[in-house]
Amino acid sequence: MATERTLSIIKPDATKRNLTGKIVAKFEDAGLRVVASKRIHLSAATAGEFYAEHKARGFYGELVAYMASEPVVVQVLEGENAIAKNREVMGATDPAAAADGTIRKEFALSKGENSVHGSDSPEAAAREISFFFSGLELVG
Ligand code: CMP
């Protein structure tokens, strides 16, 4: 298995409820390492650019407004098979469908306010990491 990096976002519903530490602990317990981290408040323009691939979806406006509503914590997680591992620890997009022990099962409020985002492929991880971080900010 290869060592990979993936982008994780702790979303507004979770930062608002002070769940950052509990969520990071789940990733660390699964063997992922935080190699970059910052708390930022996204503008609607930046959130819209990040989620541009969803522009045609009915929930796009709601998603952009939500992501810009409160601070988020953006992180790069590193580890063996990090992209798949991160998605496993997050659980299904809809908390009602998420497996026991996953972040979304435990913390997410709805399909939209689902506490975390994680890259879904190596191509997305590369794009999303460079969207938020420069190479100098990644400290393995
Ligand atoms: P994320 O992994 O960040 O990628 C796209 C996001 O769109 C997804 O998590 C959800 O938060 C959001 N999303 C997906 N489906 C819906 C939906 N039906 N209604 C609102 N938001 C959604």
Side-chain angles (χ1 to χ4, degrees), residues 10-78:
I10 301 175
K11 294 184 174 183
D13 70 272
T15 61
K16 192 175 179 177
R17 290 178 289 148
N18 213 19
L19 294 171
T20 299
K22 285 189 172 133
I23 288 174
V24 172
K26 293 254 193 206
F27 291 133
E28 291 182 338
D29 287 349
L32 295 167
R33 176 176 293 271
V34 179
V35 298
S37 183
K38 57 189 169 193
R39 181 178 173 99
I40 53 178
H41 197 143
L42 294 171
S43 66
T46 303
E49 192 186 337
F50 180 78
Y51 279 117
E53 68 183 289
H54 296 302
K55 217 165 194 162
R57 312 284 286 273
F59 58 81
Y60 178 72
E62 188 187 322
L63 173 63
V64 168
Y66 157 66
M67 289 300 288
S69 66
E70 295 276 342
V72 297
V73 176
V74 291
Q75 299 184 312
V76 178
L77 305 179
E78 182 182 89

Side-chain angles (χ1 to χ4, degrees), residues 21 24-25 34 43-44 47 52 56 72 96 100 103 116 121-122 129 131 133 138-139:
V24 172
V34 179
S43 66
V72 297
D100 284 348
I103 290 169
V116 279
S121 66
I129 289 169
F131 186 91
F133 295 98
L138 308 177
V139 185

Side-chain angles (χ1 to χ4, degrees), residues 54-118:
H54 296 302
K55 217 165 194 162
R57 312 284 286 273
F59 58 81
Y60 178 72
E62 188 187 322
L63 173 63
V64 168
Y66 157 66
M67 289 300 288
S69 66
E70 295 276 342
V72 297
V73 176
V74 291
Q75 299 184 312
V76 178
L77 305 179
E78 182 182 89
E80 295 239 320
N81 229 2
I83 296 166
K85 194 173 279 180
N86 165 259
R87 295 180 69 76
E88 193 183 310
V89 176
M90 288 195 299
T93 302
D94 183 350
D100 284 348
T102 62
I103 290 169
R104 284 167 170 161
K105 175 72 174 192
E106 211 162 305
F107 301 123
L109 301 175
S110 66
K111 216 172 181 174
E113 294 187 291
N114 63 354
S115 301
V116 279
H117 164 84

